[in-house]
Each structure stands twice: as structure tokens, then as C-alpha cells.
Amino acid sequence: MPRPPLPPDIDEFLRRPNPAVVASIRSNGTPHTVATWYAWDGEHVLLNMDEGRLRLRFMLRNPHVALTALDEKGWHRHVSIAGRIESIVEDEGLRDIDRLALHYTGQPFRTRDRRRFSAAVAVETWHAWAGAGPWRPNRRSLPRGRKMGA
């Protein structure tokens, strides 16, 4: 699997409000997956969780996570990242969840009476899929001197 940086067309795809699934690791080592909102800033994935979510507990124990973002036009095109949580902080003032809600719905987040936490995920590896095979980023979009899979 390639390592960052991501090619511009993959970066652009991840910046959209795509449907996504995040995976964390339970204490017994098995995966836990759930649909989620996310935001991509070109370096980190932002995730946000209610204080009662199991994934928050799992992420606090084990910082390894994966996220798959699906093309809203069809799940056959998607980008998956594997990474490590660099930080989990309380979402004071609900700024991060509002950012995500605006990104996905155009409205601030409705539930305002629960504590929320934001996780910043650093991407370690990624892969992309389109149709019947790997999504081949436009060769012009690859950083100079960079080859696919390098």
C-alpha cells in the first residue's frame, strides 16, 4: 500500500463529504466498524464521537484505525486509509462536530447536550479502488519523482 502524500485526485476525493466507515480495534483484538462522518485536511482525518461511543473507548486503548470513504455515486470507487490516532481531545464548544455537520448536511449539529471528542488520524498507508481494479491516479497528479506504490 502506498504511503503519503496522496495524489491530488485522491486528496480531492477525500475532501468531499463521502459516506465512510471507520474501523477501530476492540480490547479482544477484533475489529469494530461503524459509519461515520470525517473531514480530510490533506494530512489528517478528523473524526468526532459522542462520549458514550464504543469506538472512542477502543481508540483510547489502541490508536490504530482504518477509514474507507465511498464514492456517493457508487461504492465500487473508494479510498481506504490506515493510520494512527495522534490525538484525542474534547470538542470544546462543539466546533469540530459543527464543522463535520456543516460539511455533510449544511446545518450545525443538533444535539448540543453531550460531551464530544475529536480524534486526529495521521495516515500511514492508503489504497484506492475504482470498478474492477485499483484506482490509478492520473499520472500528472503524482508528486514529482513519485511512482505508484512507492
Side-chain angles (χ1 to χ4, degrees), residues 13-42:
F13 175 84
L14 285 174
R15 290 179 188 271
R16 296 183 206 154
N18 298 303
V21 175
V22 64
S24 54
I25 309 297
R26 299 174 197 263
S27 58
N28 67 4
T30 61
H32 173 264
T33 60
V34 65
T36 193
W37 287 345
Y38 76 94
W40 169 248
D41 68 6

Side-chain angles (χ1 to χ4, degrees), residues 7 11 22 35 59-60 64-65 73 81 85 87 93 106 110 128 132 135 139 141 145-146 148:
D11 178 89
V22 64
M59 289 175 187
L60 287 166
H64 298 281
V65 296
K73 295 175 186 152
I81 64 101
I85 294 174
S87 66
R110 290 185 297 181
W135 177 353
R139 292 232 179 256
S141 75
R146 173 95 191 254
M148 279 302 298

Side-chain angles (χ1 to χ4, degrees), residues 4 40-47 49 56 58-66 81-90 117-125:
W40 169 248
D41 68 6
E43 284 188 38
H44 294 89
V45 173
L46 169 68
L47 302 171
M49 297 140 291
L56 175 59
F58 300 150
M59 289 175 187
L60 287 166
R61 271 194 217 122
N62 185 331
H64 298 281
V65 296
I81 64 101
R84 186 177 190 89
I85 294 174
E86 288 189 342
S87 66
I88 297 178
V89 297
E90 187 164 356
F117 292 84
S118 296
V121 180
V123 176
E124 295 175 339
T125 60

